[in-house]
Amino acid sequence: DTGVSQDPRHKITKRGQNVTFRCDPISEHNRLYWYRQTLGQGPEFLTYFQNEAQLEKSRLLSDRFSAERPKGSFSTLEIQRTEQGDSAMYLCASSWGLAEETQYFGPGTRLLVL
Amino acid sequence: DQQVKQNSPSLSVQEGRISILNCDYTNSMFDYFLWYKKYPAEGPTFLISISSIKDKNEDGRFTVFLNKSAKHLSLHIVPSQPGDSAVYFCAATGENFNKFYFGSGTKLNVKP
């Protein structure tokens, strides 16, 4: 297993456009998390899935943000009508039942909104 | 709501000496505390964790200490090596692991 993967690694878009990011967790991991990280800050929690159920969602996640994990495997994070303030690194992490506190992070998707 | 804080943005240490990174938290309901290391252009990598029922956990050169009364934890790296140079994040979570709170990070520079 090669770990958590994210696609794309970089995305440049114009303000107002929609973007979608994909995360493929480690195959047996049932927990999946999305974070946003801006320069000089730590990862900021966005949302959490256990299998296909979205169990936790941050107030930071405005109605322009949506996430899915349709079959409990990969997940997508969509941002509609992007704003310049959405420019950040978007990180995905996964973990599993016997080591729930140990999250494995992907390399992230860096978004730049022009 | 900044529930986990790292007040030192950077730390410089000589190779072979001890590095001590500090972290404070405000929520007494946190059950697990973790440290992550991050290199540029990579995601954070899990380093070590501690349960709230313990006050110390050790893994090789890395030891985490938890002081619940002070709501403070620290990571000790002994001896420090140049390869330890990275940004270190502390994080905390509750018993359900539904949400993790991260500090803003401390950039450690270990000088040869």
Side-chain angles (χ1 to χ4, degrees), chain B residues 81-100:
Chain B
Q81 299 173 353
D84 296 330
S85 297
V87 178
Y88 289 78
F89 293 101
C90 69
T93 186
E95 61 179 2
N96 293 326
F97 309 99
N98 285 7
K99 191 171 182 178
F100 286 72

Side-chain angles (χ1 to χ4, degrees), chain B residues 6-11 21-22 86-89 104-108:
Chain B
Q6 293 176 257
N7 292 317
S8 299
S10 63
L11 175 68
L21 296 95
N22 294 303
V87 178
Y88 289 78
F89 293 101
S104 55
T106 297
K107 186 173 185 179
L108 174 65

Side-chain angles (χ1 to χ4, degrees), chain B residues 30-62:
Chain B
F30 286 143
D31 274 321
Y32 281 92
F33 303 88
L34 309 95
W35 285 94
Y36 284 83
K37 180 167 78 172
K38 186 182 184 304
Y39 294 118
E42 295 182 9
T45 301
F46 171 77
L47 201 53
I48 191 169
S49 65
I50 187 168
S51 163
S52 61
I53 63 173
K54 296 185 177 180
D55 54 19
K56 177 183 174 181
N57 188 27
E58 195 170 349
D59 184 1
R61 296 186 297 114
F62 302 91

Side-chain angles (χ1 to χ4, degrees), chain A residues 13 19 22 39 55 82 84 105 114:
Chain A
T13 191
V19 293
R22 177 180 170 121
L39 198 61
L55 299 185
T82 52
Q84 287 184 322
F105 280 84
L114 301 174

Side-chain angles (χ1 to χ4, degrees), chain A residues 6-66:
Chain A
Q6 292 187 246
D7 185 68
R9 293 291 304 275
H10 304 273
K11 179 71 178 177
I12 301 174
T13 191
K14 292 183 179 178
R15 191 175 49 191
Q17 298 293 305
N18 299 342
V19 293
T20 300
F21 309 141
R22 177 180 170 121
C23 170
D24 286 273
I26 294 172
S27 58
E28 67 268 24
H29 286 192
N30 59 337
R31 292 174 177 259
L32 187 147
Y33 305 80
W34 284 99
Y35 294 87
R36 179 177 68 186
Q37 185 177 17
T38 53
L39 198 61
Q41 299 299 314
E44 199 170 27
F45 172 83
L46 291 177
T47 191
Y48 157 65
F49 290 86
Q50 183 163 332
N51 300 310
E52 66 275 9
Q54 189 174 22
L55 299 185
E56 190 80 41
K57 197 172 168 181
S58 168
R59 287 175 302 211
L60 295 169
L61 225 62
S62 73
D63 55 5
R64 297 185 299 106
F65 286 71
S66 62

